[in-house]
Amino acid sequence: DAGITQSPRYKITETGRQVTLMCHQTWSHSYMFWYRQDLGHGLRLIYYSAAADITDKGEVPDGYVVSRSKTENFPLTLESATRSQTSVYFCASSDLGGGDQPQHFGDGTRLSIL
Amino acid sequence: AQSVTQLDSHVSVSEGTPVLLRCNYSSSYSPSLFWYVQHPNKGLQLLLKYTSAATLVKGINGFEAEFKKSETSFHLTKPSAHMSDAAEYFCVVGGSQGNLIFGKGTKLSVKP
C-alpha cells in the first residue's frame, strides 16, 4: 500500500549511543519532514528536505543529523543520544513545498533514552 | 512570524452534543490553516484545510471550521459528537519555510 512508514515503532536506548530512525514513503513526494512531539509543545520541526541531497534545519535541529540520498527515504540519526531527546518522532511528506500544502504523516517512533 | 494558540488543552462533551475546539492564529500575511486529528498511537490525519477560498471549510467526518479574519480565529466544530471523535486535535498554520507550525493540541473526550 502507498503511504509513509516509520521504523522502528518503539526504541529504547542509552545515553551516548547512536540511533537511527527510518522513514520511507511510496508517493514520490519531493518534500519530507521530521518532527518531534513533546507534551506541552505540540510538534516541532527538526529537519526538512526539499529533494534528494537537499536538507535544511528546522526549529530544533541540535543533536540530529539527516540525509536524503534517495527521494523515498529520509533517515534521522541521533549521533549521541541524550535524555532530552526522549520523544515521539514523526516523519511527514508533501508533494509540493510551501506552507499551504498539507503533509502526510507516519505513525511515529516512540524513542526512550535511559 | 506565524503562530497558533489553541485556547483549551482539554474539552469534554457528551455523545450527541456539539463540539467546539477553539484556535486563534497570528500571521503577517494571509495564512493557510489546517486542522489535524491524532488518535492514540497514530500519526496525524488531515481534517480540513483553509487557503483563502470559502471562509467556511468542510472537512472529513462531519467537522467544519470557519475562518474569521477580524477575530483571527479558526475554530473547529461538529454538530454531534461520536465516541470515535475522542482524540487530540491540532490547529496548524503554514510557515514561511514551507513547514507547518502546530498548536499545542486540544484533547477531546466524549462521554457516553
Side-chain angles (χ1 to χ4, degrees):
Chain A
D1 287 344
I4 186 163
T5 306
Q6 292 185 237
S7 60
R9 289 295 315 278
Y10 303 92
K11 176 75 177 178
I12 300 174
T13 191
E14 296 175 339
T15 56
R17 294 204 180 237
Q18 182 180 83
V19 59
T20 296
L21 310 184
M22 305 301 293
C23 179
H24 175 78
Q25 53 107 353
T26 58
W27 289 301
S28 299
H29 283 170
S30 295
Y31 285 77
M32 296 187 75
F33 306 83
W34 275 106
Y35 294 89
R36 60 178 290 172
Q37 182 178 30
D38 304 289
L39 277 174
H41 287 280
L43 276 75
R44 292 179 291 174
L45 181 67
I46 304 171
Y47 269 95
Y48 67 100
S49 168
D53 297 323
I54 300 175
T55 62
D56 210 345
K57 295 178 180 179
E59 181 186 354
V60 288
D62 292 344
Y64 302 95
V65 174
V66 293
S67 62
R68 193 160 176 214
S69 57
K70 293 183 177 181
T71 300
E72 61 266 31
N73 296 325
F74 191 39
L76 176 74
T77 297
L78 290 65
E79 292 194 306
S80 179
T82 66
R83 288 200 179 97
S84 64
Q85 294 176 308
T86 291
S87 187
V88 182
Y89 291 84
F90 287 97
C91 180
S93 71
S94 66
D95 189 23
L96 301 172
D100 61 337
Q101 298 299 315
Q103 294 174 13
H104 304 271
F105 285 80
D107 284 341
T109 295
R110 188 174 295 272
L111 178 63
S112 296
I113 300 165
L114 306 178
Chain B
Q2 294 77 33
S3 66
V4 288
T5 302
Q6 292 185 243
L7 300 173
D8 306 291
S9 59
H10 190 203
V11 169
S12 183
V13 301
S14 296
E15 192 174 20
T17 64
V19 175
L20 170 64
L21 305 183
R22 300 183 295 162
C23 172
N24 287 348
Y25 71 90
S26 173
S27 178
S28 54
Y29 51 84
S30 182
S32 294
L33 293 161
F34 309 81
W35 276 98
Y36 280 81
V37 61
Q38 184 182 29
H39 291 278
N41 295 317
K42 297 297 253 182
L44 282 76
Q45 179 185 18
L46 179 68
L47 274 180
L48 51 81
K49 167 186 168 182
Y50 167 79
T51 53
S52 74
T55 56
L56 184 62
V57 183
K58 293 189 183 300
I60 62 171
N61 300 335
F63 284 94
E64 62 183 36
E66 186 171 10
F67 175 75
K68 291 187 176 180
K69 186 176 181 178
S70 60
E71 298 176 11
T72 61
S73 69
F74 190 57
H75 300 335
L76 181 71
T77 60
K78 183 173 180 177
S80 176
H82 296 159
M83 295 298 293
S84 60
D85 295 328
E88 189 154 21
Y89 292 79
F90 291 93
C91 183
V92 182
V93 65
S96 57
Q97 291 179 296
N99 59 319
L100 300 180
I101 299 167
F102 288 77
K104 294 183 179 180
T106 298
K107 187 172 182 179
L108 175 65
S109 299
V110 182
K111 296 175 289 188

